[in-house]
Amino acid sequence: MPHYVSSTFAAALMLVASTSFVAAQDSGMLTPEEAAKLYPGKPLYSRYAGRDFPTRPFFGDTHLHTSFSMDAGAFGARLGPRDAYRFARGEQVTSSSGQPVKLSRPLDFLVVADHSDNMGFFPDLLAGKPEVLADPTGKKWYDMIQSGKGEEAALEIIGAFSHNKFPDDLMYLPGTSAYKSAWQKTIDAAEEFNDPGRFTAFIGYEWTSNTGGNNLHRNVIFRDNGVKASQVVPMTVYPPNGSDNPEDLWKWMTAYEEKTGGSVLAIAHNGNLSNGLMFPVVEAFGKKLDSEYAKTRAKWERLYETTQTKGTGEAHPYLSPNDEFADFEIWDKGNLDGSVAKKKDMLQFEYARQALKNGLKLEQELGTNPYKFGLIGSSDAHTGLAAMQEDNFFGKTTPQEPGPERMKKAFFDNPETGVKVMDWEVGASGYAAVWATENTRESIWDAMQRKETYATTGPRMIVRFFGGWDFEPRDAEDRLPAHTGYSKGVPMGGDLGAAPKGKAPTFLVAALKDPIGANLDRYQIVKGWLDANGELHEKVYDVVWSGDRKPGDDGKVPPVGNTVDVANATWTNTIGAPELIKVWTDPDFNPAQPAFYYGRVLEIPKPRWTAYDAKFYGTTPLPGTTMTLQDRAYTSPIWYTPKG
Amino acid sequence: MTFLSKILREPLVHFVIIGAAVFGLYALMAGGNQDEPRDKIVVTEGRIEQLAQVFAKTWQRPPTREELRGLIDTYIKEEVYYREALKLGLDRDDTLIRRRMQQKMEFVTEPGDALLRADDAALQAFLDAHKADFRVEPRIAFDQIFLNPEKLGEAAIARAEQTLEILKASAPGEIPPDVGDPTLLPARMPLSPLSGIASNFGATFAANLTDLPENEWAGPIKSPYGLHLVRVTKRIDGYDPKLAEVRDAVEQKWRTEKRDEFRDQAYDQLLAKYEVILPSGKAVSPESEAAP
């Protein structure tokens, strides 16, 4: 079954024992002590031996809809979960709009996350009921199936369909395809395409809490196989079975784990469309936040989807006026259906950076940081196609698949509230990058759980981010930086642990451009911290950059330049660097102040998907259409918590 | 439900909804007569059991008496609205419902497991007919030393040649620790298919590996990152695999094709029941166009 040999690094990975990661998963946070166990730093003569740390990131999408999602189907999506997995692993398929499409390179993993509401769970429970078999025709078919003549039965059944001779009660005859619920079909597709070592097909779904048009959606991802997942049906929103309160989703997750012994995690997305509800600091659903809320949220929601087609939610220019790169693919006009316009005071509860900061403060009040999450990106495409490359972007919905007019229409337009978002504002973003040891459900899920992940807005750059107390400049000269990183520190998603006296945190950062992508402009570290007066602060540091640019008086490195020819949708890698490596020490460290640090890696400017469309179709873009961008990656943070 | 609201704003949908509402209001006022026979909504034991089962599968516990009552009430409400909506024809001209119905039909006419089981003979025939799809790629293992492009130009070539001499003089099988520049690229690449090497080092680099001698440092070879000195340590040529080696993959692809075939067939059967008339007035009979 598994074809280990053909995965790029799999031969090396086969030697790796992955059991040690279970420990990290249980404790929840990766402290230096645990990291030391995971990545033994004891020197070996051969530094290539005994490397049980991840040597490459796996790229995937944790949030893809297919025709099984009611809205996707209504908008004409024809591709189901099977097609989605085939496409993600690199096969050419025909899109719902009839266009052949293929990824530049296969993805390593995919979660088909269709909306659980209206997915259709009933058939398999209805089937097998005595009244279903009371019909003589049904009885005959049932017996044929039972006696191994399924093929004959299936042909007869299809024949009956096409001649209007199909008894109503038999729509869900056991053994026929219709017998299976959409959920069971989703599970079956993941089971069929999961190919450990080569391609991971996760079982998952999206819980779509959307009351009042305010987006509180979460994707639920199973670590487990179909045997466990099919013991439950997904949590829904509509009453009486469902609920729109995330606390009820966490109850569902608890019940699943208790019943099956399995593991699930939830990833929220689009805080930008929640109108101030995604990251509350005072109350949620009419209830004051308490230690239980903080603990439970931190337990189930280890990651946040910080970039996708409906906007990027790392930072907002209003919240981070000193960050000249914060204004990136921003959607801040209103909530998800445009029914309520955005007010400025909602923004602080919607964006990842502000939530990471607020989390530091909440930890002081509640004992647990509810927003100690890592970062990933994903598509949220409703096409069955995880195609998020600027020059190979297949849109968010089927009507937004490539075509001459796709950048001219409105995504939504509510004249009453004045909330209008144009289709050109949809982003070709993003993917999740996961530092796992093996391409398996268990290994990738465990890495997500320990937050050793980063978000990309499309390109597959490789990003390392290690924090510790003892990195020295010459560690960046080491030919095997990752080896040093794991030996002397913790990777992204980890905790720095207690500060040794007189020392400041040090970081080993490294990034490698996408081999078919744009060069890199700079690697920045974003720091957030809480001071003694309870005030929150943030600062963006330029750590390493291409060329011989000198930081200005404000400490900022000037722009890298721009080689984009918009009319021809081209650019050149004559500026920027293919690789950036550096060791950085926090110059403003105060051991009494809780803090987090995360990496942000910027590419040089290149044409946005709108430029490729304009060139290919000869479409004249609407005034104000964004035609270039600097795609980027965001790492999960590393946290520092003072001993107290 | 993300796009439901968008659909609801379509003018045509407005028109249909307003029309239906007016019609419905009229029907309600006209039909409020108590003497008319009332339709029955029969809630069977089986239905209640099913409602309870879905609840239990969601929450891992049976519903309480109150919750069950709520489930039944909701079901009745849904049934009332469903029937009334059907009477008003609200299912017609509704894109969402039409597409959902199509999807349900496709679900229901999908071939069951029995039809999708293939024997070895069928799979062998499929493999023979699709050899190129299942060909095992050439695989190469290699070591590489990276030279940073910041120092490109003549000096870089000279440096590469110098470094190559040092490497050639080093013990076989080892990589001297102090040669080359730091990189996130793996120094020692295990046996990997060419496409895998290409996705890490670029396509040109991968293509250039095929001509290199084995167990000997060579280069420099260019990649999107810079220059590399390379020692190929193992090379396995591509080949056409036997069925046993790729059985799962062949079966999966066979099933995919079979499913598509079946879906097309099922549609053709349905289509054959209709005479499709296009606006020009020209009848397109299923026999002449759609039949296989």
Side-chain angles (χ1 to χ4, degrees):
Chain A
M1 281 237 321
H3 304 271
Y4 287 100
V5 279
S6 28
S7 178
T8 313
F9 290 82
L13 300 180
M14 277 176 72
L15 305 171
V16 166
S18 63
T19 46
S20 51
F21 288 105
V22 175
Q25 171 204 329
D26 289 340
S27 62
M29 289 153 204
L30 200 57
T31 62
E33 294 71 37
E34 280 158 350
K37 271 187 273 164
L38 296 183
Y39 320 108
K42 200 172 149 217
L44 298 170
Y45 178 78
S46 169
R47 297 199 298 160
Y48 306 103
R51 287 195 300 173
D52 57 353
F53 56 78
T55 56
R56 62 161 289 198
F58 294 105
F59 290 99
D61 186 350
T62 64
H63 187 182
L64 182 69
H65 294 272
T66 74
S67 60
F68 283 23
S69 287
M70 191 154 108
D71 53 357
F75 268 79
R78 313 288 315 129
L79 304 187
R82 271 199 191 83
D83 306 300
Y85 287 123
R86 283 175 51 219
F87 178 74
R89 72 177 189 183
E91 288 180 38
Q92 180 169 317
V93 303
T94 301
S95 81
S96 302
S97 57
Q99 309 183 57
V101 54
K102 192 179 177 191
L103 287 171
S104 61
R105 300 148 284 175
L107 289 171
D108 299 304
F109 67 91
L110 176 68
V111 186
V112 167
D114 281 310
H115 298 295
S116 57
D117 280 280
N118 302 313
M119 193 194 267
F121 306 134
F122 306 101
D124 69 345
L125 300 164
L126 199 63
K129 288 267 164 282
E131 65 258 34
V132 173
L133 300 181
D135 185 284
T137 319
K139 181 80 172 71
K140 183 181 131 203
W141 287 337
Y142 184 77
D143 291 343
M144 283 167 80
I145 292 161
Q146 293 303 98
S147 58
K149 292 182 194 155
E151 191 158 341
E152 278 172 51
L155 284 172
E156 269 195 35
I157 289 166
I158 289 179
F161 261 118
S162 53
H163 295 101
N164 285 348
K165 285 183 198 152
F166 204 91
D168 272 2
D169 283 346
L170 299 187
M171 289 304 275
Y172 302 114
L173 187 74
T176 66
S177 182
Y179 169 86
K180 287 178 181 164
S181 66
W183 175 234
Q184 190 59 47
K185 281 175 190 276
T186 302
I187 292 171
D188 288 352
E191 294 291 80
E192 181 178 342
F193 284 87
N194 190 46
D195 188 359
R198 183 189 278 181
F199 179 81
T200 295
F202 280 105
I203 299 167
Y205 69 89
E206 177 174 352
W207 173 78
T208 315
S209 171
N210 205 39
T211 304
N214 298 325
N215 183 315
L216 291 177
H217 305 182
R218 266 87 170 162
N219 290 310
V220 176
I221 301 173
F222 291 71
R223 185 178 189 267
D224 313 308
N225 62 18
V227 175
K228 284 183 177 165
S230 55
Q231 291 177 41
V232 295
V233 294
M235 168 77 171
T236 49
V237 173
Y238 292 113
N241 276 329
S243 161
D244 62 351
N245 188 338
E247 290 194 62
D248 289 322
L249 177 67
W250 304 333
K251 281 182 198 152
W252 181 94
M253 296 169 82
T254 309
Y256 168 78
E257 292 200 350
E258 279 172 3
K259 158 117 189 245
T260 65
S263 304
V264 280
L265 58 79
I267 306 175
H269 65 88
N270 280 118
N272 59 344
L273 303 173
S274 72
N275 272 9
L277 297 184
M278 181 54 84
F279 301 110
V281 300
V282 178
E283 60 165 42
F285 284 76
K287 219 176 101 199
K288 207 172 165 342
L289 295 198
D290 56 14
S291 63
E292 192 57 32
Y293 177 94
K295 249 191 273 177
T296 316
R297 182 156 179 159
K299 176 178 180 191
W300 295 115
E301 304 195 0
R302 304 295 190 90
L303 296 176
Y304 178 65
E305 183 189 298
T306 193
T307 178
Q308 62 133 276
T309 41
K310 291 198 308 295
T312 293
E314 179 234 355
H316 189 281
Y318 175 76
L319 301 171
S320 305
N322 292 324
D323 179 359
E324 68 274 32
F325 296 105
D327 191 2
F328 180 80
E329 302 284 320
I330 293 291
W331 280 40
D332 60 358
K333 311 256 176 65
N335 55 0
L336 182 57
D337 59 4
S339 59
V340 181
K342 187 79 70 201
K343 294 196 195 81
K344 289 260 188 290
D345 62 0
M346 297 170 176
L347 297 170
Q348 58 187 311
F349 310 115
E350 298 187 346
Y351 285 79
R353 188 187 297 173
Q354 188 65 35
L356 291 166
K357 283 160 67 181
N358 288 337
L360 299 177
K361 199 166 179 181
L362 284 169
E363 183 168 14
Q364 311 263 305
E365 295 164 17
L366 305 174
T368 307
N369 178 350
Y371 305 131
K372 197 168 178 178
F373 51 75
L375 300 177
I376 56 134
S378 278
S379 76
D380 197 7
H382 282 55
T383 56
L385 302 168
M388 294 296 130
Q389 197 171 300
E390 300 296 336
D391 61 352
N392 192 31
F393 176 48
F394 260 64
K396 173 166 179 67
T397 64
T398 298
Q400 295 167 323
E401 285 182 6
E405 294 304 314
R406 75 158 156 173
M407 51 197 275
K408 296 198 138 179
K409 293 178 186 148
F411 185 79
F412 53 68
D413 179 6
N414 191 330
E416 272 170 48
T417 57
V419 176
K420 183 174 183 179
V421 177
M422 300 304 294
D423 275 346
W424 67 257
E425 296 182 69
V426 171
S429 178
Y431 289 126
V434 180
W435 285 105
T437 51
E438 297 180 302
N439 189 351
T440 61
R441 283 176 180 164
E442 297 76 14
S443 187
I444 293 176
W445 193 95
D446 290 350
M448 289 179 174
Q449 187 73 349
R450 67 174 185 269
K451 308 165 196 163
E452 200 173 343
T453 63
Y454 60 96
T456 105
T457 59
R460 302 193 204 174
M461 61 268 270
I462 292 177
V463 181
R464 291 286 201 183
F465 184 56
F466 297 101
W469 302 100
D470 302 310
F471 287 113
E472 305 159 82
R474 66 187 172 91
D475 290 332
E477 298 294 319
D478 193 312
R479 218 179 50 209
L480 299 170
H483 187 277
T484 313
Y486 282 110
S487 313
K488 293 172 74 170
V490 294
M492 55 185 75
D495 280 89
L496 282 170
K501 205 170 166 46
K503 286 198 169 182
T506 57
F507 296 87
L508 173 59
V509 307
L512 187 70
K513 75 162 190 136
D514 183 332
I516 62 165
N519 271 349
L520 305 175
D521 165 6
R522 66 187 75 195
Y523 194 134
Q524 302 176 304
I525 287 181
V526 179
K527 179 187 178 185
W529 71 97
L530 176 68
D531 71 17
N533 301 322
E535 300 288 327
L536 290 161
H537 306 271
E538 65 176 60
K539 191 167 178 186
V540 182
Y541 298 89
D542 289 320
V543 169
V544 51
W545 52 90
S546 68
D548 53 4
R549 286 175 280 166
K550 300 275 175 292
D553 291 341
D554 56 358
K556 291 181 180 187
V557 173
V560 66
N562 192 338
T563 69
V564 180
D565 174 349
V566 172
N568 289 305
T570 56
W571 92 101
T572 61
N573 272 333
T574 46
I575 56 172
E579 189 156 14
L580 298 169
I581 304 183
K582 182 95 185 266
V583 166
W584 180 81
T585 304
D586 180 1
D588 307 309
F589 181 64
N590 179 338
Q593 298 173 343
F596 64 83
Y597 305 83
Y598 65 88
R600 183 169 72 181
V601 182
L602 303 182
E603 279 188 346
I604 62 168
K606 64 183 189 192
R608 195 171 177 264
W609 68 266
T610 41
Y612 289 103
D613 266 39
K615 163 78 177 150
F616 186 84
Y617 293 110
T619 310
T620 308
L622 297 171
T625 303
T626 307
M627 302 299 276
T628 65
L629 85 176
Q630 285 187 271
D631 265 321
R632 55 198 65 195
Y634 310 109
T635 76
S636 289
I638 292 174
W639 285 267
Y640 167 72
T641 314
K643 276 262 185 287
Chain B
M1 298 305 299
T2 313
F3 304 103
L4 188 54
S5 53
K6 188 171 177 177
I7 283 185
L8 285 178
R9 276 191 289 278
E10 290 289 324
L12 183 64
V13 176
H14 281 178
F15 178 76
V16 171
I17 290 173
I18 292 166
V22 170
F23 179 78
L25 200 63
Y26 175 79
L28 273 180
M29 279 158 48
N33 192 336
Q34 290 299 317
D35 301 336
E36 253 183 70
R38 291 167 37 165
D39 285 342
K40 285 196 176 70
I41 290 176
V42 182
V43 183
T44 62
E45 284 292 328
R47 175 66 62 189
I48 293 173
E49 194 188 318
Q50 184 225 344
L51 292 172
Q53 275 181 17
V54 173
F55 183 96
K57 261 200 147 182
T58 306
W59 292 106
Q60 314 313 324
R61 65 169 176 84
T64 63
R65 180 186 289 270
E66 238 165 73
E67 284 165 338
L68 189 59
R69 188 64 227 181
L71 291 169
I72 294 167
D73 287 346
T74 306
Y75 169 74
I76 293 168
K77 193 178 200 176
E78 183 182 291
E79 185 69 20
V80 167
Y81 274 109
Y82 175 67
R83 289 194 197 180
E84 292 301 311
L86 283 183
K87 281 184 208 160
L88 298 178
L90 296 189
D91 54 327
R92 272 173 260 142
D93 300 324
D94 182 329
T95 310
L96 201 129
I97 290 170
R98 290 167 64 93
R99 287 185 174 157
R100 184 71 168 189
M101 290 285 117
Q102 178 189 341
Q103 187 180 52
K104 280 198 112 163
M105 279 301 284
E106 283 175 355
F107 260 43
V108 162
T109 51
E110 221 181 73
D113 298 340
L115 263 182
L116 295 173
R117 241 167 258 136
D119 55 21
D120 280 357
L123 293 183
Q124 185 64 54
F126 189 83
L127 174 59
D128 292 343
H130 301 83
K131 264 202 174 116
D133 292 348
F134 297 100
R135 193 173 161 79
V136 174
E137 276 187 84
R139 283 171 295 159
I140 297 177
F142 63 93
D143 300 334
Q144 63 89 20
I145 295 288
F146 175 64
L147 299 170
N148 197 306
E150 299 269 297
K151 305 140 194 168
L152 264 184
E154 268 179 45
I157 300 296
R159 186 179 168 221
E161 278 163 5
Q162 248 173 18
T163 313
L164 187 60
E165 289 315 309
I166 297 170
L167 289 170
K168 282 184 169 168
S170 67
E174 273 178 34
I175 305 178
D178 301 323
V179 180
D181 295 321
T183 177
L184 291 180
L185 292 163
R188 184 157 275 180
M189 193 77 172
L191 203 56
S192 310
L194 271 189
S195 63
I197 296 169
S199 73
N200 287 275
F201 289 85
T204 317
F205 178 94
N208 282 331
L209 283 188
T210 49
D211 301 330
L212 293 188
E214 252 176 76
N215 293 314
E216 197 179 303
W217 284 100
I221 292 182
K222 220 172 164 240
S223 80
Y225 305 106
L227 297 179
H228 306 259
L229 300 166
V230 177
R231 174 170 61 191
V232 171
T233 50
K234 196 170 174 73
R235 197 192 334 255
I236 297 178
D237 290 337
Y239 61 95
D240 293 315
K242 295 256 178 293
L243 178 61
E245 192 183 335
V246 286
R247 197 176 196 288
D248 285 349
V250 173
E251 194 171 8
Q252 202 176 53
K253 208 148 191 177
W254 179 89
R255 274 202 305 262
T256 300
E257 286 205 359
K258 200 85 182 162
R259 251 188 219 108
D260 288 351
E261 239 171 64
F262 230 90
R263 190 179 55 196
D264 293 348
Q265 244 177 45
Y267 174 60
D268 287 344
Q269 282 191 32
L270 294 173
L271 180 64
K273 302 195 309 180
Y274 295 87
E275 184 191 6
V276 180
I277 298 160
L278 297 175
S280 64
K282 183 189 167 205
V284 181
S285 72
E287 284 76 31
S288 63
E289 293 261 320

